[in-house]
Amino acid sequence: MEQKPLIETNPYLRDPAKFRKALIRSVASSTAIETGAPVAAVVHMLEAGEQTPPFTTTQRSAR
């Protein structure tokens, strides 16, 4: 019997908003364990980071 891919069977992966929320929660809980920070604080930082523009570097000389 052929198995369906997880993205087709898991409702959280089918809905992008639920997927994003679950991903942030997962990363936040792992980070909180490693750093000792509260999960809610890490979630807040990750969600705030979505609103900032991406970091870009310039191709300048190191001199």
Side-chain angles (χ1 to χ4, degrees):
M1 183 172 152
E2 185 178 333
Q3 291 185 341
K4 290 185 177 182
L6 186 59
I7 198 158
E8 291 179 10
T9 59
N10 188 327
Y12 290 99
L13 297 178
R14 282 188 262 158
D15 182 1
K18 287 183 180 179
F19 172 74
R20 184 77 180 159
K21 186 175 180 178
L23 179 64
I24 287 175
R25 188 75 173 171
S26 176
V27 170
S29 64
S30 296
T31 303
I33 290 169
E34 294 291 328
T35 63
V39 175
V42 178
V43 167
H44 180 70
M45 285 189 291
L46 291 172
E47 288 174 343
E50 290 178 350
Q51 299 167 0
T52 60
F55 180 75
T56 58
T57 59
T58 58
Q59 298 288 331
R60 292 191 219 174
S61 173
R63 293 185 195 181

